[in-house]
């Protein structure tokens, strides 16, 4: 529960999921607004990373821009869940993996530097498990910011910015890989990244700013683990909606309070008809269902058949695989 989180920790978690300072000593700037020292901020974030309250301090990138990704699902026999989840999680680029309440019970996100890599990962999983893998690539995002308000600090979801891929430069892939893996939580994190990449601190800071302006970095800040913070009801809601209704239904769902993600994915004819997805998080199952009841009353989704897939276990949650250097690692 947020009521059990230290007030300073709550400020760090809720106020710094976006707009992380682009200065040589970012934690000094954060400390000035939290009435504590730079060292205290660093120590608190290090502790929260160690105890699983945050995954990292870093970047999320617009999907399928500098890298490729897809949502995938499998129907895994109960007695094989542990083994199959282990095979899935061991593949390079699997950055989210959940057990969900559905006959398609194992869901994961496969990422990589290009679609060829993603296809290879899915083929490897099929070969090693001898199970079918459903491939559900994204078509259109409505809210993929991944910010998660614990105390109302994030407000309404941001309007997706146009992505300017023409602004990419040589070396950006490796920089983005470092940022999605996570900043070192130290006094001069950008300097450490610059030294690792053979660049200057000034250059790294300038490029991050440019990548944010270009919409390639969709969010830069603290990435929280909602389950570890008491928001244990995680529901993916899938909607079997007509294509012509997507343009109005997507933004309406994305703006609804309690909906944390919303996007259109490619359905699979005769197998998986759902094309509109949203995520709902709550402290309890009943709270999440209350959000869904209200959302389902929106005129834009009125009468649309939907299914609710609550997660029961998180196997993996990390940053995306972007750079080919990361594949080699």
């Amino acid at each position: 529960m947020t009521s059990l989180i230290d007030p300073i920790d709550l400020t760090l978690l809720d106020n710094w999921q976006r707009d992380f300072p682009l200065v040589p000593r970012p934690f000094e700037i954060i400390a000035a607004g939290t009435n504590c020292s730079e060292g205290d901020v660093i120590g608190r974030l290090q502790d929260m990373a160690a105890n699983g309250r945050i995954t990292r301090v870093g970047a999320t990138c617009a999907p399928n821009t500098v890298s490729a990704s897809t949502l995938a699902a499998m129907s895994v026999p109960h007695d094989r869940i542990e083994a199959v989840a282990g095979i899935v999680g061991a593949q390079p680029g699997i950055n989210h993996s959940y057990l969900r309440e559905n006959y398609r019970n194992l869901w994961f996100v496969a990422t990589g530097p290009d679609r060829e890599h993603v296809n290879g990962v899915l083929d490897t999983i099929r070969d090693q498990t001898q199970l079918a893998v459903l491939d559900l690539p994204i078509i259109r995002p409505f809210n993929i910011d991944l910010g998660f308000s614990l105390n109302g600090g994030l407000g309404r979801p941001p309007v997706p910015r146009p992505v300017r891929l023409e602004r990419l430069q040589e070396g950006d892939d490796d920089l983005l890989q470092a940022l999605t893996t996570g900043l070192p939580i130290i006094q001069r994190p950008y300097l450490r990244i610059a030294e690792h990449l053979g660049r200057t601190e000034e250059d790294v800071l300038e490029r991050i700013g440019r990548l944010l302006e270009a919409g390639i970095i969709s969010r830069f800040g603290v990435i929280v683990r909602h389950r570890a913070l008491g928001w244990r009801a995680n529901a993916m809601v899938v909607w079997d909606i007509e294509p012509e209704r997507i343009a109005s239904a997507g933004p309406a769902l994305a703006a609804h309070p309690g909906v944390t993600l919303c996007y259109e994915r490619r359905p699979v004819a005769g197998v998986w008809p759902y094309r509109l997805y949203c995520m709902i998080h709550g402290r309890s199952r009943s709270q999440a269902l209350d959000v869904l009841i209200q959302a389902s009353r929106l005129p834009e989704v009125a009468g649309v058949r939907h299914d609710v897939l609550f997660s029961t276990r998180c196997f993996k949650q990390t940053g995306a695989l972007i750079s080919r250097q990361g594949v080699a690692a």
Side-chain angles (χ1 to χ4, degrees), residues 31-66:
T34 54
N35 197 29
C36 59
S37 70
E38 178 188 33
D40 191 23
V41 168
I42 290 171
R44 286 171 180 271
L45 289 171
Q46 287 174 338
D47 288 346
M48 285 190 279
N51 64 30
R53 287 187 162 187
I54 65 174
T55 61
R56 64 193 186 279
V57 177
T60 59
C61 294
N64 296 322
T65 53
V66 294

Side-chain angles (χ1 to χ4, degrees), residues 157-294:
V159 176
R161 291 171 294 173
V163 178
R164 306 289 298 275
L165 285 177
E166 70 275 10
R167 296 188 181 180
L168 280 170
Q169 295 182 3
E170 183 178 354
D172 282 346
D173 282 359
D174 290 340
L175 174 58
L176 288 166
Q177 185 66 72
L179 298 175
T180 56
T181 301
L183 295 178
I185 305 176
I186 57 175
Q187 192 176 77
R188 298 282 291 274
Y190 302 113
L191 178 60
R192 177 70 59 84
I193 288 174
E195 291 172 342
H196 176 71
L197 296 176
R199 302 169 71 162
T200 67
E201 182 182 46
E202 181 180 17
D203 176 45
V204 164
L205 286 165
E206 189 271 338
R207 283 309 300 157
I208 296 172
R210 297 295 185 188
L211 292 166
L212 280 162
E213 289 175 3
I216 294 166
I217 296 177
S218 57
R219 183 165 67 89
F220 189 47
V222 178
I223 314 295
V224 305
R225 286 186 184 271
H226 53 271
R227 293 175 71 90
L229 293 164
W231 296 73
R232 298 188 176 278
N234 168 335
M236 181 174 72
V237 186
V238 293
W239 306 76
D240 184 10
I241 190 170
E242 300 92 335
E244 58 271 18
R245 297 179 66 180
I246 288 282
S248 60
L253 270 179
H256 188 74
V259 171
T260 52
L261 289 172
C262 187
Y263 38 77
E264 179 185 7
R265 291 190 178 275
R266 188 181 69 199
V268 180
V271 177
W272 187 258
Y274 306 101
R275 65 173 60 245
L276 183 60
Y277 293 65
C278 71
M279 293 298 306
I280 295 173
H281 294 82
R283 293 187 178 91
S284 66
R285 190 184 187 97
S286 62
Q287 185 184 65
L289 289 173
D290 285 344
V291 172
L292 174 58
I293 289 170
Q294 295 302 316

Side-chain angles (χ1 to χ4, degrees), residues 123-174:
D123 287 343
T124 297
I125 292 170
R126 292 184 185 102
D127 290 343
Q128 293 187 7
T129 65
Q130 292 299 295
L131 295 171
V133 178
L134 197 63
D135 181 6
L136 302 165
I138 195 168
I139 295 174
R140 183 171 16 172
F142 299 106
N143 176 20
I144 43 82
D145 176 80
L146 299 179
F148 185 80
S149 177
L150 299 168
N151 199 32
L154 291 176
R156 292 173 65 82
V159 176
R161 291 171 294 173
V163 178
R164 306 289 298 275
L165 285 177
E166 70 275 10
R167 296 188 181 180
L168 280 170
Q169 295 182 3
E170 183 178 354
D172 282 346
D173 282 359
D174 290 340

